[in-house]
């Protein structure tokens, strides 16, 4: 019985953390763009990350409706690997993430983590601790923005 439960739990986690098979990933760069920038890691901006988000306006106060929607997205896509505390689960805990990273960095990372894991020294160090690369969850821009707002709520933005 325990083996069966472990197998089912393992399959559920594997399925939840797998890549979304969808050709509508408009936030992805073409492979030629990525290979060009991968050859020059000095062009990587550690404050912005790697991706299409140059400026993300978050506002001084929390958008409660957006944060609530972000919590729903996070519960499906994120919380099987991340806790909202400082505690590491599979990936690092989210507490304090908005004080460690700019909104542009967070949006670029959660919509397309692979190039940033490859280039960002902090992400490479985190990978050595967590031992698992964050899979691309296929979040669209809107979903990613709601998750960012949920992270802001989690970090005490009112």
């Amino acid at each position: 019985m325990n083996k069966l439960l472990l197998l089912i739990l393992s399959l559920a986690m594997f399925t939840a953390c797998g890549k979304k098979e969808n050709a509508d990933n408009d936030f992805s760069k073409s492979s030629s763009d990525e290979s060009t920038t991968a050859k020059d890691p000095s062009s990587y901006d550690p404050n912005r990350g790697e991706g299409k988000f140059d400026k993300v306006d978050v506002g001084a106060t929390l958008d409660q409706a957006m944060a609530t929607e972000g919590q729903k997205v996070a519960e499906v896509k994120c919380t099987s690997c991340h806790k909202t505390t400082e505690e590491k689960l599979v990936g690092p805990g989210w507490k304090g993430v908005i004080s460690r990273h700019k909104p542009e960095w967070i949006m670029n990372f959660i919509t397309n983590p692979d190039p940033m894991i490859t280039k960002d020294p902090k992400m490479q160090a985190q990978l050595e601790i967590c031992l698992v690369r964050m899979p691309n969850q296929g979040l669209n821009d809107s979903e990613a923005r709601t998750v960012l707002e949920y992270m802001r709520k989690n970090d005490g933005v009112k």
Side-chain angles (χ1 to χ4, degrees):
M1 181 67 176
N2 286 339
K3 289 181 183 180
L4 179 61
L5 183 59
L6 182 61
L7 177 64
I8 291 170
L9 185 59
S10 297
L11 286 172
M13 291 217 26
F14 178 75
T15 303
C17 292
K19 286 190 175 185
K20 182 178 177 183
E21 297 296 328
N22 187 347
D24 292 330
N25 292 342
D26 58 79
F27 53 80
S28 297
K29 290 186 167 193
S30 70
S31 59
S32 63
D33 289 343
E34 193 171 311
S35 64
T36 302
T37 55
K39 293 178 183 175
D40 185 13
S42 65
S43 67
Y44 179 77
D45 180 355
N47 293 313
R48 181 185 158 280
E50 177 80 20
K52 69 179 181 178
F53 296 99
D54 292 321
K55 179 72 175 144
V56 178
D57 294 318
V58 293
T61 59
L62 186 73
D63 182 326
Q64 186 62 48
M66 191 181 288
T68 299
E69 188 61 32
Q71 182 175 0
K72 292 175 188 174
V73 173
E75 286 172 353
V76 172
K77 300 275 189 167
C78 310
T79 58
S80 62
C81 296
H82 297 281
K83 290 191 174 196
T84 57
T85 64
E86 294 175 345
E87 185 180 355
K88 173 187 161 297
L89 189 55
V90 174
W94 280 3
K95 191 70 176 171
V97 71
I98 64 167
S99 63
R100 292 189 303 270
H101 300 288
K102 292 187 176 191
E104 297 78 16
W105 188 97
I106 294 170
M107 290 287 291
N108 284 323
F109 184 67
I110 64 179
T111 57
N112 196 11
D114 290 325
M116 291 176 63
I117 294 170
T118 302
K119 295 177 184 177
D120 192 304
K122 289 181 183 178
M123 292 310 307
Q124 292 169 355
Q126 189 69 50
L127 182 59
E128 289 182 23
I129 295 167
C130 293
L131 304 174
V132 177
R133 289 179 71 94
M134 182 171 131
N136 188 332
Q137 292 295 316
L139 294 176
N140 65 39
D141 296 354
S142 176
E143 291 170 322
R145 180 61 185 89
T146 65
V147 170
L148 172 61
E149 201 67 8
Y150 175 57
M151 289 175 166
R152 294 179 70 221
K153 179 182 178 182
N154 186 59
D155 280 350
V157 174
K158 303 272 183 207

